Amino acid sequence: MARTADPERAAARRDAIMRAAIALFAEQGFESTSAAEIAKAAGLSSGSVFYYFADKRAVFRALFERDLPAARELVARHATGDDPVASLLAMVDVLAADAMDPLAPGIMVELVRQVGKDPELARLITETAATQHAGFAALVERGIRAGSIDPALDPGEAAQWIQVAIDGAFLNADPDHDPRPMLRRMITRFLSRPCDHAGDHA
Amino acid sequence: MARTADPERAAARRDAIMRAAIALFAEQGFESTSAAEIAKAAGLSSGSVFYYFADKRAVFRALFERDLPAARELVARHATGDDPVASLLAMVDVLAADAMDPLAPGIMVELVRQVGKDPELARLITETAATQHAGFAALVERGIRAGSIDPALDPGEAAQWIQVAIDGAFLNADPDHDPRPMLRRMITRFLSRPCDHAGDHA
DNA sequence: GTCTATAGCTGGATAGAC
DNA sequence: GTCTATCCAGCTATAGAC
């Protein structure tokens, strides 16, 4: 009854294409990577790429399809905790973990570019980012009510700046250096209530 | 004696090409923008681009050639001041000013991509970034000695994180929203000495 | 100095063999 | 289902007219 003779083999090939594609897109960019190159790197022939994917753009999109459910799950997992700041930092840690991947800056940059060209990709990424944003904003709000976050902050704006910091870390990714400690320092202090003796010393 | 009949006209045309190019590169990307498109937007004919520039890549490089002298001047101007943190924030303000330009994210992204492909551009950008980095690091060190910056910070690492934050702001640029107040908050607090009653309230 | 025309090449996507 | 062969569009860069 199976449509495909061997669904497992088909999934493996799709996966091989995606793995080859992510490396090539990150290193060379989307436009500079030909379908033939991807096929070769995946151990297949040129035309096969178009059997598994509608077009080159669909290959790129597929690389980010798992991110939306992952974001939903991440937000749900950290929505209910005793300490909102701790939950928020745990989310940051997870999102920033991939920033040590040497492919991260290349993929990040290519993603921004392709989002402007592929409306379907744009919808996917917008929703993923909005999901993370909502999760952060809710935690900031809870932190404010609990007194552990500066009430002068607007939760939505603060959430966006947390994402800005993570984006910056991705862009400057370095495989030899874990960005998370400094990212935590930056975000913790950004959120905390003002410290009335800030520059004391004198 | 003049080599060119009208050097002023020539400079104006070069400039027109550059202005047209920066918009197109930011919106569509480098690879997706043809030389013919640039020429048309500049009010010239296709071949003329190659009269004023050696090749398409040189057009892109030209867009960043003024950044290195500008960085040197900026660093020099803020090297000597009574308050290192204030000088540092003034530098950040200048560098982040362009983040309100709607073209900023597109150009930023394209720059990262092209730096990986054009070694001459890479040299230029690396030196520009290193100049800014050195300026920030020197100010952080002075701030530590003056007691206004947390001595636990490594000046080089702190300088890099200031650049990370600025990069993030560029990537998420929004013409309607000045990122500088929040950027200042984030950096000030990142640098400041620890505040021993951080999460008080209870 | 600047334009027109085009050479020469590359790459996405398909058609049809197997 | 997968590969080979190929078509056609679109691009950079140049050569030569004016």
Side-chain angles (χ1 to χ4, degrees):
Chain A
M1 301 305 159
R3 276 282 182 78
T4 53
D6 190 344
E8 234 175 74
R9 186 177 187 79
R13 297 239 164 142
R14 234 186 102 96
D15 216 64
I17 292 172
M18 284 172 62
R19 253 202 305 276
I22 197 168
L24 288 165
F25 288 155
E27 282 157 20
Q28 314 180 336
F30 179 81
E31 338 276 348
S32 304
T33 301
S34 71
E37 250 176 316
I38 298 171
K40 193 177 174 186
L44 300 169
S45 205
S46 164
S48 309
V49 173
F50 298 100
Y51 175 73
Y52 289 103
F53 296 90
D55 51 22
K56 204 173 85 165
R57 185 140 285 157
V59 179
F60 190 80
R61 248 192 334 260
L63 300 176
F64 302 95
E65 263 154 16
R66 296 192 152 272
D67 287 358
L68 179 54
R72 288 193 174 125
E73 200 227 336
L74 181 70
V75 168
R77 190 165 61 240
H78 292 97
T80 60
D82 291 349
D83 184 346
V85 174
S87 298
L88 197 151
L89 290 174
M91 272 182 66
V92 170
D93 270 5
V94 171
L95 292 174
D98 290 337
M100 287 179 73
D101 188 325
L103 300 178
I107 279 296
M108 168 104 206
V109 149
E110 211 52 39
L111 181 57
V112 173
R113 175 58 69 208
Q114 296 309 316
V115 157
K117 294 189 183 176
D118 181 345
E120 200 170 329
L121 178 64
R123 246 175 290 135
L124 183 66
I125 297 302
T126 302
E127 196 162 345
T128 304
T131 302
Q132 292 167 1
H133 181 94
F136 282 135
L139 288 170
V140 169
E141 205 174 341
R142 278 183 51 208
I144 290 173
R145 276 206 302 269
S148 52
I149 289 180
D150 187 351
L153 286 171
D154 170 66
E157 196 181 15
Q160 205 203 316
W161 276 90
I162 293 168
Q163 291 178 301
V164 164
I166 296 172
D167 286 353
F170 260 88
L171 207 60
N172 293 56
D174 170 6
D176 302 328
H177 199 317
D178 189 345
R180 285 171 288 186
M182 278 292 164
L183 200 52
R184 267 199 296 269
R185 175 189 173 112
M186 192 168 257
I187 292 174
T188 310
R189 285 158 164 255
F190 170 69
L191 294 173
S192 74
R193 315 182 71 190
C195 175
D196 35 26
H197 65 321
D200 69 351
H201 172 250
Chain B
M1 301 297 168
R3 276 284 182 77
T4 54
D6 189 345
E8 236 174 71
R9 187 178 187 77
R13 298 240 164 142
R14 234 186 101 95
D15 217 64
I17 292 172
M18 283 171 64
R19 254 202 304 276
I22 197 168
L24 289 165
F25 288 155
E27 284 157 18
Q28 314 179 335
F30 179 82
E31 339 275 347
S32 305
T33 300
S34 70
E37 250 175 316
I38 297 171
K40 192 178 175 184
L44 301 168
S45 205
S46 163
S48 308
V49 173
F50 298 101
Y51 174 72
Y52 291 103
F53 296 90
D55 52 22
K56 203 173 84 165
R57 185 141 284 159
V59 179
F60 189 79
R61 252 193 329 259
L63 301 175
F64 302 95
E65 263 154 18
R66 298 192 149 271
D67 288 359
L68 179 54
R72 287 192 175 126
E73 201 227 335
L74 181 70
V75 168
R77 192 166 59 241
H78 292 97
T80 60
D82 291 350
D83 184 345
V85 173
S87 298
L88 196 150
L89 290 174
M91 274 184 64
V92 170
D93 270 5
V94 172
L95 293 173
D98 290 337
M100 286 178 73
D101 188 326
L103 300 178
I107 280 295
M108 169 103 206
V109 149
E110 210 54 40
L111 182 57
V112 173
R113 176 58 70 206
Q114 297 308 316
V115 156
K117 294 190 183 176
D118 181 346
E120 201 170 328
L121 178 65
R123 247 175 290 134
L124 182 67
I125 297 302
T126 302
E127 197 163 344
T128 304
T131 301
Q132 292 167 1
H133 180 94
F136 281 134
L139 287 169
V140 169
E141 204 173 342
R142 278 184 49 210
I144 290 173
R145 276 205 303 268
S148 53
I149 290 179
D150 187 351
L153 286 171
D154 170 67
E157 196 180 16
Q160 206 205 315
W161 275 89
I162 292 168
Q163 292 178 300
V164 165
I166 296 172
D167 286 353
F170 261 88
L171 207 61
N172 294 56
D174 170 5
D176 302 329
H177 201 316
D178 188 346
R180 285 171 289 186
M182 278 292 164
L183 200 52
R184 267 199 296 270
R185 175 189 172 111
M186 194 169 256
I187 292 173
T188 310
R189 285 157 166 258
F190 170 68
L191 294 173
S192 73
R193 314 182 70 190
C195 173
D196 35 29
H197 64 320
D200 68 350
H201 173 250

